[in-house]
Amino acid sequence: MNLNSKNVVVTGGSRGLGLGLVEALVAQGAKVTVVARGADALESVRTRLGVATIPADVTDETAAHRILGEVRPDILVLNAGAQPRMARLDQVSWADFTVAWDTDVKAGLYWLQAALNLPLKPGSRVLTVSSGAAVNGSPLSGGYAGAKRMLWTMARYANGVSEKKNLGIGFQAIVPQQMVLGTGVGDAGANAYAHVAGITPEEFVVRFGAPMPPRQFGDMVVSLLEDPQFADAVAFGIKGAGISVLEGAAA
């Protein structure tokens, strides 16, 4: 897929990995709309990159339908999510345990439903950003790992609905497989696990191998979108060392 002049909506695109993706998309000539809650961060990305911005709560069901109906993106990237509350299983409250379910999964459900029910046009692609915790767990972040696995599973479910309704929309999960400092979720996770190990966060993230700053993450997602070999698989792992297919296309 050539991204030049494609309409792209990125939720949570005003900071962290989402911002790195927005930068990479703009560099390829895509027409990007960033959706986020923070007005100051949205204004900063709009001024610096010339993107369109829409302030909204991604867990607002009506906002999902309204924004997709107005923009009609060729590509939708669901990147927005809550920072997990870091605590050991025997110490975490139910409210903290379910933070990622109440935000990440709830928003995922509403935006996937909007994409399927509008529907987006044939050939559109929807990417849900999951986490390596979906594969390996994350014992200090409550229900975060399960929520991120659910986003991956929901992408598979959405493909089944798209096929049943003959919509021609592809749904895929992006699974960053390392923590990235300088991002809210990455900093929270690295700080917590480094503290337990008695090392610095910088020493902890080295364990993942080659670093993956946000812009590199964005460039790899762009290459995934542009390369035909990645058009049909359901889930991809992304880390500094490159892209891997975690779940192929349904038979």
Side-chain angles (χ1 to χ4, degrees), residues 22-249:
V22 170
E23 292 173 344
L25 289 165
V26 169
Q28 295 301 309
K31 298 178 180 177
V32 182
T33 299
V34 177
V35 179
R37 284 185 295 182
D40 290 343
L42 282 175
E43 177 61 20
S44 176
V45 70
R46 185 193 66 80
T47 300
R48 183 166 67 86
L49 298 176
V51 298
T53 59
I54 299 176
D57 180 347
V58 294
T59 65
D60 181 344
E61 183 177 8
T62 60
H65 286 264
R66 172 177 55 82
I67 293 168
L68 293 189
E70 291 174 355
V71 181
R72 292 285 176 173
D74 303 289
I75 299 166
L76 168 62
V77 183
L78 303 178
N79 174 75
Q83 182 173 310
R85 315 268 173 82
M86 306 303 293
R88 211 172 59 195
L89 184 65
D90 59 327
Q91 300 169 338
V92 66
S93 69
W94 178 246
D96 288 346
F97 187 91
T98 57
V99 164
W101 287 86
D102 290 335
T103 301
D104 304 36
V105 178
K106 185 178 182 180
L109 176 64
Y110 289 155
W111 287 78
L112 292 176
Q113 287 179 331
L116 290 164
N117 290 328
L118 280 170
L120 296 181
K121 56 182 172 289
S124 300
R125 288 169 76 173
V126 178
L127 308 183
T128 64
V129 179
S130 177
S131 166
V135 179
N136 299 314
S138 178
L140 293 182
S141 60
Y144 178 78
K148 291 302 186 179
R149 185 71 191 197
M150 192 68 235
L151 287 172
W152 175 346
T153 301
M154 288 162 67
R156 187 188 318 122
Y157 292 169
N159 278 318
V161 175
S162 177
E163 182 177 357
K164 183 177 182 64
K165 297 172 72 173
N166 197 29
L167 300 178
I169 306 170
F171 296 83
Q172 299 173 303
I174 305 298
V175 185
Q177 293 184 294
Q178 63 192 88
M179 293 183 191
V180 180
L181 295 181
T183 64
V185 173
D187 288 339
N191 289 340
Y193 287 104
H195 177 74
V196 170
I199 59 177
T200 67
E202 291 76 16
E203 289 171 325
F204 178 77
V205 298
V206 166
R207 298 180 177 185
F208 292 101
M212 183 182 65
R215 176 56 190 270
Q216 183 181 347
F217 167 80
D219 287 336
M220 286 195 285
V221 174
V222 163
S223 68
L224 186 153
L225 288 167
E226 292 181 327
D227 194 330
Q229 71 171 314
F230 298 127
D232 298 320
V234 174
F236 305 90
I238 294 184
K239 59 190 304 185
I243 301 171
S244 60
V245 176
L246 300 181
E247 180 181 347

